[in-house]
Amino acid sequence: MVGYVVYGRSSFNQLDEIIAPHRIEGKPMIFLVDHFFEDKPFLARIPIRGNDQVFSADVTHEPKTAYVDELADHLKEKFGMVSGIIGIGGGSTMDLTKAVSLMMTNPGSSADYQGWDLVKFPGVYKVGVPTLSGTGAEVSRTTVLTGPTKKLGMNSDFTPFDQIILDPELTSNAPVNQRFYTGMDCYIHCIESLTGTYLNEFSKSYGERALELCRKVFVKKDHWDDESDDQLMMASYAGGMSIAYSQVGVAHAVSYGLSYLLGIKHGIGNCIVFDKLEEFYPEGVKEFKFMVEKNKIDIPQKITRGLTDEQFNTMINVSLGMKPLWENALGKDWEKIMTKEKLRTLFEKL
Ligand SMILES: NC(=O)c1ccc[n+]([C@@H]2O[C@H](COP(=O)([O-])OP(=O)(O)OC[C@H]3O[C@@H](n4cnc5c(N)ncnc54)[C@H](O)[C@@H]3O)[C@@H](O)[C@H]2O)c1
Ligand SMILES: [Fe+2]
């Protein structure tokens, strides 16, 4: 779990004070900031001291193992070691920060650690400051990376942040569509966790609370205000805690295949898939469609039209590789239920 959590409007102002005890003489703090903030006044609020450095995190594409290795190698070459890494941004920046921190102390390439419990050593001190709410990446024990052969996280006890700062003010300027797609990541986490076979009281307690907050924001309310940002940030936290002790399900397994082949981003990819999952999550999909309409969001259609057999097979193989997700969704006999043919039909609907 995350070591320390600070929540509240303007809590970002405490960053300087929070990281001060973790500064090591002569070693910089590295601020990895989502490129959205590159030319924004927000940059002036970053508490730079001594030889600290601000790096822009290029999140045009979701994090790749090659990019993680490049950042970590650059930092090692330039500074030897750093005091810590502070990630400020959406889920992609959260994941990049966690992965770079781990690769400062673990040998080889981040691709070597894609899987479960492969990471050998704790990373350097790492802090997460989310600026989008929904992924739960701020609390999870994984960092999702696309590598040479797979899209899979570095799932380990060393992966969670040492500290997170949850300041809902930082999410206030997110574009409406992006906010919805990332928010739906949380909603879908809840549905997949609460209907899954891995469910337990821990996951249920957090999942139900997160779902209730998502509904307040996207179902009940008819405008967006500060309270919506506050609630969605806590929904993301609770949703992340829920899957920490269970798993996601069909939407994520299928969306990973889409993202691997077509580079479709996580939030929107989940929405494209979930829209077609009535068979597995009838109530959730019904409510999802209501939220899409109410919030006037477009969900892209027919994105797999015209793909070749080989391309379909690539997506199917990536997707079926996510065994724990399928087992959570469909039970131990999932392979008998979700055959390659059935999955092909599902991909063709997207
Ligand atoms: N580690 C985990 O447990 C976990 C869980 C779910 C998703 N993820 C990962 O999270 C990523 C998706 O994250 P995301 O949905 O937060 O999107 P993102 O981080 O990819 O960002 C999407 C876009 O929003 C911009 N952005 C970020 N903050 C903004 C702000 N405040 N205002 C305006 N624009 C802003 C970014 O620059 C980017 O263009 C994927 O890479 C996915 O794999 C990780
Ligand atoms: Fe997700």
Side-chain angles (χ1 to χ4, degrees):
M1 289 167 82
V2 170
Y4 293 86
V5 181
V6 170
Y7 171 86
R9 299 203 144 253
S10 301
S11 57
F12 182 75
N13 295 339
Q14 297 173 44
L15 182 60
D16 192 22
E17 192 187 328
I18 287 170
I19 62 178
H22 300 276
R23 290 184 176 280
I24 301 166
E25 182 73 36
K27 312 281 183 216
M29 280 291 178
I30 305 300
F31 297 91
L32 194 53
V33 185
D34 193 309
H35 65 180
F36 168 79
F37 294 102
E38 219 158 51
D39 47 5
K40 305 284 186 300
F42 172 74
L43 281 194
R45 294 178 58 197
I46 295 176
I48 298 166
R49 311 231 163 226
N51 58 350
D52 287 358
Q53 294 258 316
V54 178
F55 283 89
S56 183
D58 182 352
V59 295
T60 317
H61 307 288
E62 293 188 345
K64 293 193 169 47
T65 51
Y67 188 37
V68 169
D69 295 349
E70 183 193 314
L71 283 169
D73 288 345
H74 176 74
L75 291 178
K76 281 187 266 188
E77 215 165 274
K78 193 161 178 198
F79 304 108
M81 200 29 81
V82 300
S83 290
I85 306 185
I86 324 294
I88 304 171
S92 296
T93 307
M94 295 297 100
D95 278 357
L96 265 181
T97 305
K98 293 196 272 185
V100 173
S101 157
L102 294 172
M103 293 317 296
M104 292 302 290
T105 52
N106 284 276
S109 159
S110 49
D112 304 337
Y113 302 103
Q114 287 181 281
W116 278 271
D117 301 305
L118 302 172
V119 179
K120 294 188 180 71
F121 307 107
V124 298
Y125 175 69
K126 50 186 173 322
V127 179
V129 186
T131 64
L132 279 176
S133 296
T135 66
E138 65 277 19
V139 286
S140 73
R141 80 189 278 283
T142 187
T143 156
V144 185
L145 302 176
T146 304
T149 59
K150 53 195 162 199
K151 182 177 179 196
L152 186 60
M154 297 163 78
N155 296 262
S156 86
D157 286 343
F158 301 123
T159 308
F161 283 112
D162 297 294
Q163 166 91 50
I164 55 174
I165 296 177
L166 305 177
D167 181 349
E169 262 172 23
L170 303 183
T171 64
S172 65
N173 44 16
V176 175
N177 271 304
Q178 182 64 57
R179 192 167 65 193
F180 184 85
Y181 298 142
T182 304
M184 281 305 111
D185 192 18
C186 178
Y187 178 82
I188 296 168
H189 289 159
C190 295
I191 302 294
E192 291 181 319
S193 163
L194 290 170
T195 59
T197 60
Y198 287 8
L199 189 65
N200 51 66
E201 239 9 272
F202 184 99
S203 295
K204 200 171 156 202
S205 307
Y206 283 107
E208 285 175 347
R209 185 68 188 135
L211 191 58
E212 194 182 314
L213 287 166
C214 284
R215 285 182 174 141
K216 281 190 181 172
V217 171
F218 291 113
V219 178
K220 302 206 176 108
K221 205 147 184 170
D222 52 13
H223 65 283
W224 197 275
D225 57 16
D226 286 356
E227 188 189 46
S228 317
D229 283 320
D230 294 356
Q231 290 174 334
L232 195 56
M233 188 158 260
M234 283 319 296
S236 177
Y237 177 89
M241 289 297 284
S242 175
I243 44 169
Y245 236 110
S246 65
Q247 249 308 346
V248 285
V250 182
H252 276 75
V254 177
S255 145
Y256 271 41
L258 272 190
S259 146
Y260 186 82
L261 184 80
L262 304 173
I264 293 181
K265 294 195 156 196
H266 188 77
I268 192 167
N270 282 347
C271 288
I272 292 169
V273 179
F274 198 68
D275 195 40
K276 303 284 184 278
L277 294 184
E278 291 94 339
E279 182 186 340
F280 304 99
Y281 307 110
E283 285 165 28
V285 174
K286 195 170 156 210
E287 188 167 57
F288 170 79
K289 287 182 186 288
F290 175 81
M291 293 186 285
V292 168
E293 207 172 300
K294 180 173 164 117
N295 293 276
K296 301 187 181 64
I297 304 292
D298 289 324
I299 305 295
Q301 305 288 332
K302 305 205 182 336
I303 55 159
T304 60
R305 190 181 269 182
L307 294 181
T308 63
D309 284 345
E310 197 189 335
Q311 287 175 312
F312 274 109
N313 285 337
T314 302
M315 293 193 293
I316 290 168
N317 290 335
V318 169
S319 176
L320 290 179
M322 314 297 298
K323 293 184 173 37
L325 284 64
W326 290 108
E327 190 182 282
N328 174 46
L330 306 174
K332 291 234 180 291
D333 286 337
W334 67 269
E335 275 162 310
K336 291 192 194 124
I337 305 169
M338 188 46 77
T339 58
K340 282 196 172 182
E341 295 68 41
K342 189 165 167 85
L343 188 51
R344 166 83 187 231
T345 312
L346 177 53
F347 270 118
E348 282 173 0
K349 277 197 214 162
L350 306 178

